[in-house]
Amino acid sequence: MPLVTARRTGLVDQVIEQLRASVTGGEWPVDSRIPPEPELADALGVGRNTVREAVRALAHSGILEVRQGDGTYVRATSEVSGAVRRLCGSELRDVLQVRRCLEVEGARLAAAARTEEDLTELQALLDRRDGHQQQGRHEDFVRADTDFHLAVVRASHNPVLTELYCGLTEVVMASVATTSAKPVQSDQIRHRGLVEAIAAGAVEAAGREAGGFLDELLDRLPSR
């Protein structure tokens, strides 16, 4: 897929999308080195700083990897597959433990403070999540599951907790991608009980539901 000259509005976003298209379209395979910065800048008709910022954004999302003194390489074809490659072992355990702290309290507060609008959103997100899971659409499932957990925390109506959790969205998505990478099995984690507890205003039950599935994921990990 040839690169086209970028328009003069939203240059960085446009360059990000064009670089991403070169990856997803197969022009730049995984583990290949992309053209150097000056060549990309000339091909796109933008400054080197714009290219550098776009590459930095894609590296942050896990699609590209900048190797000092060697160049920039394609690491994955999407943010989700990049997350699977990036998060494992003790780091995954650390992320799940932090998620447990925030999500248990978020669920408890949501059970006490949720609105009807919150419940409608939670149910819609859960239906979407489960639909993707049943049809084996892993990347769509990962995004829907991440959105669901964020919605639970938002339903707490605690802006500080929500802001903290939003700051962890990338690693939350990485942990979801990593722990759900295996094919769908009969013991796949469900969240119906969590939504039901929040809807019923059952504070303690909501906390147990939110912590229980994370404890299950932690138990599956090898010991340190």
Side-chain angles (χ1 to χ4, degrees):
M1 180 183 297
L3 296 174
V4 297
T5 302
R7 298 184 299 277
R8 293 297 172 183
T9 57
L11 283 178
V12 173
D13 288 341
Q14 292 178 53
V15 172
I16 288 172
E17 289 309 310
Q18 292 195 61
L19 299 185
R20 188 197 306 273
S22 293
V23 173
T24 58
E27 181 182 352
W28 299 338
V30 172
D31 295 327
S32 68
R33 184 167 58 183
I34 72 172
E37 189 178 280
E39 184 177 330
L40 289 174
D42 288 343
L44 290 164
V46 299
R48 292 178 62 174
N49 286 341
T50 301
V51 172
R52 188 175 300 121
E53 189 172 344
V55 168
R56 186 183 300 119
L58 290 172
H60 183 68
S61 69
I63 292 177
L64 298 179
E65 179 182 4
V66 179
R67 302 177 187 174
Q68 294 299 325
D70 189 22
T72 300
Y73 288 77
V74 178
R75 188 176 189 189
T77 57
S78 70
E79 287 85 349
V80 171
S81 59
V84 172
R85 296 183 64 170
R86 186 170 63 246
L87 191 64
C88 61
S90 60
E91 184 180 357
L92 176 57
R93 179 178 293 277
D94 293 340
V95 171
L96 292 177
Q97 288 172 340
V98 172
R99 282 187 59 189
R100 191 185 191 287
C101 293
L102 298 180
E103 291 182 25
V104 168
E105 190 59 25
R108 286 169 50 84
L109 292 173
R114 91 292 182 279
T115 65
E116 289 302 316
E117 290 77 11
D118 293 329
L119 293 178
T120 298
E121 181 184 21
L122 287 173
Q123 189 60 59
L125 288 171
L126 185 59
D127 289 342
R128 185 190 308 166
R129 169 198 185 273
D130 290 351
H132 292 321
Q133 184 182 71
Q134 291 164 8
Q135 296 177 36
R137 296 196 295 263
H138 182 242
E139 295 201 2
D140 291 333
F141 165 79
V142 169
R143 294 187 180 92
D145 190 70
T146 303
D147 289 344
F148 170 79
H149 290 295
L150 175 57
V152 170
V153 174
R154 268 202 313 267
S156 72
H157 295 278
N158 182 311
V160 177
L161 179 61
T162 301
E163 186 68 20
L164 285 171
Y165 195 82
C166 285
L168 297 173
T169 299
E170 182 180 336
V171 292
V172 170
M173 180 176 288
S175 68
V176 173
T178 304
T179 56
S180 62
K182 295 180 180 179
V184 175
Q185 300 177 8
S186 59
D187 64 346
Q188 197 76 37
I189 291 170
R190 309 292 179 183
H191 291 319
R192 293 285 168 188
L194 175 56
V195 173
E196 290 171 359
I198 293 173
V203 173
E204 298 303 323
R208 286 195 301 271
E209 289 286 343
F213 84 91
L214 288 165
D215 287 337
E216 183 178 339
L217 292 176
L218 285 163
D219 287 343
R220 294 177 184 177
L221 297 179
S223 302
R224 289 186 187 274

